[in-house]
């Protein structure tokens, strides 16, 4: 399951463990391609919390991370950003990245 997060709850929702946040927008074609990949991963990987944030509805958090293009995925471990990934990535690519933080 992928949880929707907002500017108001992002810090609280992503402070513990390994968390991947998908920064996206409804008008973004590559974002629409990335979303089902992340949904699939969320069903297979219990070691990671999966979240998503609509950048149009929540501009403060993406701005604080300097996000200039979407989709951008941020991986946090225990509240610290450990990875920032821009553009579409396959399930295998993302699984490999996440495995490096959950082993």
């Amino acid at each position: 399951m992928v949880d929707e997060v907002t500017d108001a709850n992002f810090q609280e929702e992503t402070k513990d463990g390994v968390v991947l946040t998908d920064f996206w927008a409804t008008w973004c074609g590559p974002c629409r391609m990335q979303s089902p990949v992340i949904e699939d991963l969320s069903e297979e990987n219990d070691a990671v919390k999966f979240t998503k944030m609509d950048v149009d509805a929540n501009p403060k958090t993406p701005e604080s991370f300097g996000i200039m293009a979407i989709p951008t995925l941020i991986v946090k471990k225990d509240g610290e950003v450990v990875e920032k990934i821009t553009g579409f990535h396959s399930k295998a690519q993302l699984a490999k990245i996440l495995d490096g933080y959950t082993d």
Side-chain angles (χ1 to χ4, degrees), residues 77-96:
K77 184 166 185 176
D78 299 325
E80 297 295 320
V81 174
V82 292
E83 192 95 27
K84 185 175 174 182
I85 311 155
T86 302
F88 175 82
H89 285 72
S90 72
K91 185 175 169 183
Q93 289 170 316
L94 293 177
K96 184 176 180 181

Side-chain angles (χ1 to χ4, degrees), residues 13 19 25 44 52 54 68 85:
E13 292 292 323
V19 184
E44 297 174 9
K52 63 182 179 177
D54 181 336
M68 304 297 284
I85 311 155

Side-chain angles (χ1 to χ4, degrees), residues 56-77:
D56 290 333
N58 301 281
K60 291 181 183 174
T61 302
E63 182 180 305
S64 73
F65 288 112
I67 293 174
M68 304 297 284
I70 52 174
T72 291
L73 309 176
I74 287 184
V75 180
K76 291 176 82 178
K77 184 166 185 176

Side-chain angles (χ1 to χ4, degrees), residues 2-65:
V2 180
D3 297 323
E4 185 81 33
V5 292
T6 65
D7 284 338
N9 69 1
F10 177 78
Q11 292 298 347
E12 183 65 27
E13 292 292 323
T14 63
K15 70 179 184 175
D16 297 319
V18 178
V19 184
L20 180 142
T21 302
D22 174 17
F23 291 89
W24 67 285
T26 56
W27 49 263
C28 168
C31 298
R32 289 194 301 271
M33 291 170 43
Q34 189 69 77
S35 184
V37 172
I38 293 170
E39 289 285 346
D40 283 351
L41 275 173
S42 75
E43 292 173 11
E44 297 174 9
N45 190 333
D46 292 335
V48 176
K49 180 177 181 177
F50 292 85
T51 62
K52 63 182 179 177
M53 178 179 284
D54 181 336
V55 298
D56 290 333
N58 301 281
K60 291 181 183 174
T61 302
E63 182 180 305
S64 73
F65 288 112

